[in-house]
Amino acid sequence: MTVLVALLRAVNVGGTGSLPMAELKTICQGLGFSDVKTYIQSGNVLFRSDEAEKTVEERLDEALGKTMGKRPGVMVRRRKELDWIVADAPFPDAKPNFLLVYFLPEKAPGDALETMVAPDGEEAKLAGREIYVHHPNGSGRSKLKLSALKPGTSRNLNSVRKLADMAAAMEDGN
C-alpha cells in the first residue's frame, strides 16, 4: 500500500470550519485507509491506500463535506512528491516558517504569477501543482494578491519537512 499525505484546505484556521484531528482520523479509517496518523491541528493526515490520488481526494473530500456541511478541499501527495518539494524549495535564504508551499488541486497555468501583487516584497515560484511563496515579513499580515492560490492550501516549509519525514518513517515501517 502506498503512503499518502492529505492536506485539507482551511480546516481549523478559518474558512471551512473546525474539525478535531481524532474525528479526521476516524473518517479516514471509515474510508478504509490504514495506519492513519494526523499532524498538528491544521488538517494534515497520513495513511496507506491502494487507491489513486484523485480517487482518495474525492472520497475524503466528500466524506468531510458530509461531516462539516461543506467540502473543504483536499490535496493528496505521495511521500516522494513531498521529498521533491522540500529538495526543490527556492529562496534558500528564507526562514522556513516564512516560506509557504501552496498545494493546488491541479497544475497552475504557466502565467499564474503575471497578475501577482506583492506589496510586501513577496516572491513566488511555480513548480507543477505547487507554488512556493516567500513572505519576508511573515504571511499573517501579508497583502499578497495571487488568484492562483485560492483553490489550494498552504503549509510552511517546516511542516512540509515534518510531513515528508513522517511519510518516510511510515514507508520504512517505523
Side-chain angles (χ1 to χ4, degrees), residues 22-59:
E23 188 172 352
L24 174 58
K25 184 175 182 176
T26 299
I27 290 168
C28 289
Q29 291 167 331
L31 291 170
F33 307 145
S34 61
D35 297 330
V36 180
K37 296 173 179 25
T38 61
Y39 173 65
I40 62 177
Q41 295 295 313
S42 58
N44 306 294
V45 61
L46 301 91
F47 48 82
R48 295 180 190 278
S49 176
D50 284 330
E51 296 180 67
E53 287 178 45
K54 286 295 179 191
T55 302
V56 169
E57 285 176 352
E58 179 59 29
R59 290 183 65 227

Side-chain angles (χ1 to χ4, degrees), residues 6-24 27 38-45 60-61 64-65 67-68 70-75 152-155:
L7 305 140
L8 282 53
R9 183 175 179 274
V11 171
N12 298 341
V13 292
T16 303
S18 179
L19 178 69
M21 293 300 97
E23 188 172 352
L24 174 58
I27 290 168
T38 61
Y39 173 65
I40 62 177
Q41 295 295 313
S42 58
N44 306 294
V45 61
L60 182 53
D61 202 30
L64 290 167
T67 299
M68 301 172 74
K70 177 182 176 185
R71 288 179 171 218
V74 176
M75 275 49 75
T153 186
S154 68
R155 303 295 185 271

Side-chain angles (χ1 to χ4, degrees), residues 60-124:
L60 182 53
D61 202 30
E62 181 180 356
L64 290 167
K66 289 176 182 173
T67 299
M68 301 172 74
K70 177 182 176 185
R71 288 179 171 218
V74 176
M75 275 49 75
V76 172
R77 300 296 188 267
R78 296 175 185 272
R79 174 258 173 122
K80 287 289 184 197
E81 289 176 291
L82 291 181
D83 288 345
W84 296 327
I85 290 164
V86 169
D88 292 343
F91 316 118
D93 296 329
K95 295 177 185 175
N97 57 324
F98 284 31
L99 178 54
L100 297 184
V101 180
Y102 287 83
F103 295 87
L104 306 173
E106 304 290 335
K107 183 177 178 180
D111 64 352
L113 301 182
E114 289 181 13
T115 60
M116 182 171 90
V117 177
D120 296 320
E122 295 90 349
E123 302 171 274

